[in-house]
Amino acid sequence: MAEHDVIELLMAQHGRIRDLFDEVEQAAPDKAEEAFERLTRALCVHETAEEEIVHPYARRKLDNGQDVVADRLTEENKAKRMLLDLHKAGVDHPDFWEGLAVLRTAVTAHARSEERYEFAKLRAHTSTAERRAMAAAVRAAESLAPTRPHPGTESVAMNVLVGTPIALMDRARDLIRNALGKR
C-alpha cells in the first residue's frame, strides 16, 4: 500500500532523507561530496513533486489550506536557500558541517510540519483512490524534477514555467559530471 498512497510514499521519502543526512554526516572525507549529492537530489526531487502535486491539492481540499501550504512553501524556500549556499561553498568549506546541521534541523522540522498539518489532514479529507492518483502523479513529477536547489520556484506556476528547462539542465549536468567521474 505504501507505494500506492501518496501520504505513505512521502513519509517514506522523509525517512530516506533522514537516512541520507546520516550518510553524509558519517561519510569518509573522500565520500562526503558524493553522499551530499545524493541528499541534494533526493531533497530537490521530493520538494518539487510536493510543490507541483500535493500542495495545490491541499490548498483546495483543506480548511485553511492556503495558510497551511503558505507556511510549508516558506519553509521549503528557506531550506532551498540553505542547500544552495552549502553547494556553492562545497563540503571542504570550514562552515559546511555546521551549515549541514542547520539544514538538517530545518528539513526535519519542515517534514514534521508537513506530516502533522498537511498530510494528516489530507488523509482525512481524501479517498484511497485520490491518494493513489496523487502517488502516481508524484512519481511522474519526480521523474522530471530538477536535481539542484532553485529557490523561488516553490509554486506550481514557477515549476511549470522554469522547472522543466531547469530540470533538463540539472540532469544533463549530472550526466556529464558522472561521465567525467566527478560527483
Side-chain angles (χ1 to χ4, degrees):
M1 178 70 171
E3 65 191 49
H4 300 294
D5 182 293
V6 71
I7 306 301
E8 297 302 320
L9 173 66
L10 295 173
M11 289 177 67
Q13 289 178 357
H14 286 175
R16 174 74 176 126
I17 288 167
R18 284 189 299 274
D19 292 345
L20 287 167
F21 271 107
D22 290 343
E23 187 179 313
V24 175
E25 291 167 354
Q26 297 166 9
D30 64 327
K31 300 291 184 187
E33 185 176 356
E34 186 179 325
F36 183 58
E37 289 293 328
R38 284 192 297 277
L39 171 63
T40 298
R41 182 180 180 93
L43 284 168
C44 293
V45 167
H46 173 83
E47 291 305 331
T48 297
E50 286 180 340
E51 291 161 6
E52 290 180 0
I53 308 302
V54 180
H55 297 332
Y57 208 80
R59 266 193 203 102
R60 291 189 310 272
K61 279 292 220 181
L62 303 181
D63 293 334
N64 201 27
Q66 291 288 349
D67 292 336
V68 169
V69 171
D71 291 344
R72 302 302 71 81
L73 293 176
T74 298
E75 295 162 1
E76 288 170 13
N77 181 274
K78 181 180 173 185
K80 283 182 186 180
R81 291 185 189 286
M82 285 189 272
L83 186 59
L84 185 60
D85 289 345
L86 287 172
H87 255 279
K88 286 179 180 177
V91 297
D92 295 327
H93 191 279
D95 297 331
F96 176 83
W97 297 103
E98 182 180 328
L100 184 70
V102 172
L103 176 65
R104 182 179 192 147
T105 299
V107 168
T108 301
H110 168 70
R112 269 196 307 265
S113 293
E114 280 183 334
E115 291 169 8
R116 180 176 180 190
Y117 300 113
E118 189 172 12
F119 297 173
K121 292 177 182 179
L122 272 175
R123 185 184 310 276
H125 291 90
T126 56
S127 67
T128 301
E130 286 173 300
R131 290 191 307 278
R132 284 183 179 181
M134 286 185 3
V138 161
R139 283 192 294 277
E142 288 175 337
S143 71
L144 300 172
T147 60
R148 297 281 179 269
H150 300 283
T153 60
E154 290 80 26
S155 71
V156 174
M158 288 303 293
N159 274 314
V160 169
L161 287 173
V162 299
T164 301
I166 288 172
L168 290 173
M169 289 186 301
D170 286 352
R171 289 169 187 265
R173 180 180 21 215
D174 293 345
L175 287 171
I176 292 166
R177 289 179 62 93
N178 286 340
L180 295 174
K182 296 179 181 178
R183 281 263 152 204

